[in-house]
Every structure is written in structure tokens, then in C-alpha cells.
């Protein structure tokens, strides 16, 4: 079951998480596979559960944050492990390929995301 980002906008002082698609897959925007991320939550899309990001730590010298994840969907409060989020332009041998990507690294793997239009 997909968690909606809507409850985030109902809480005082919080912002709606931004929508993302996997690199090169804009058809995910507005669909079941759409992911969302802000510095409070990470939702990987699809069957993935909402993960609350706690204990934020900066990574010195990089535009990156390291979090402890807590599965917080449907009343759960189970550890989800460490989550590293990085943001910046995607570089290639030819220079910058895109304006900005968000990279989410978990023990399950690495996701490279672009903001939905």
C-alpha cells in the first residue's frame, strides 16, 4: 500500500516531501513508483514503506546527510538501518549531465533520483 505524503503538509512546521523518479524514468511521476524525500522522510515508492529519518548528521565536505531510518508506516516503529542522502549535479567525463540528482544509499542499494517536473 502506498503511503501518501499528504499527512506531512498537515503537521505544523513541516513541508510536503518532493516527488522524484529514478534517473531517466519520468513516467514514474504521478504513478505508483514515484518516490518522495525530504529531510524528515524517505518513501521509495511502490511497495516500500514510509521511513522516518532521525538523528541527522552532516557528512563533512559533502552535500550529504546520514540518518537512522525508522519504518513508520501503519503504526510500525521498526529500525530501517542507516540512510545516506546526497544531492548535487550529476557529473560525467563531458561535464555536468543534469541539473541535480538525489542519491539515496541504504543497505539495500543505491537509488539515483531526479525531481519530478
Amino acid at each position: 500500500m502506498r503511503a501518501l505524503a499528504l499527512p506531512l503538509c498537515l503537521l505544523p512546521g513541516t513541508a510536503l516531501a518532493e516527488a522524484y523518479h529514478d534517473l531517466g524514468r519520468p513516467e514514474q511521476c504521478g504513478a505508483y513508483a514515484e518516490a518522495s524525500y525530504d529531510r524528515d522522510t524517505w518513501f521509495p515508492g511502490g511497495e516500500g514503506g514510509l521511513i522516518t529519518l532521525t538523528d541527522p548528521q552532516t557528512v563533512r565536505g559533502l552535500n550529504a546527510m546520514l540518518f537512522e531510518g525508522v519504518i513508520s508506516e501503519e503504526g510500525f516503529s521498526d529500525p530501517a538501518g542507516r540512510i545516506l542522502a546526497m544531492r548535487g549535479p550529476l557529473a560525467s567525463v563531458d561535464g555536468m549531465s543534469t541539473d541535480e540528482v538525489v542519491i539515496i544509499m541504504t543497505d539495500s542499494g543505491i537509488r539515483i533520483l531526479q525531481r519530478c517536473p
Side-chain angles (χ1 to χ4, degrees):
M1 174 185 229
R2 178 169 177 186
L4 298 176
L6 180 61
L8 294 175
C9 68
L10 300 177
L11 300 173
T14 60
L16 187 64
E18 292 187 62
Y20 292 91
H21 63 84
D22 286 312
L23 184 67
R25 307 260 329 259
E27 70 276 6
Q28 292 176 338
C29 294
Y32 189 60
E34 181 181 278
S36 64
Y37 164 77
D38 64 19
R39 287 187 172 192
D40 295 318
T41 60
W42 158 241
F43 177 70
E47 294 294 325
L50 183 67
I51 298 174
T52 300
L53 303 174
T54 65
D55 192 24
Q57 300 171 34
T58 59
V59 178
R60 187 172 53 111
L62 299 174
N63 189 10
M65 296 289 292
L66 180 62
F67 302 94
E68 292 296 327
V70 178
I71 299 170
S72 55
E73 187 172 283
E74 298 180 4
F76 287 103
S77 184
D78 297 324
R82 300 184 104 189
I83 297 170
L84 180 67
M86 298 174 275
R87 184 183 306 263
L90 184 61
S92 74
V93 70
D94 299 320
M96 298 305 164
S97 299
T98 63
D99 291 334
E100 179 180 88
V101 295
V102 172
I103 299 170
I104 303 288
M105 181 183 294
T106 68
D107 62 352
S108 300
I110 298 170
R111 297 272 304 272
I112 301 176
L113 305 167
Q114 291 175 291
R115 186 174 293 136
C116 285

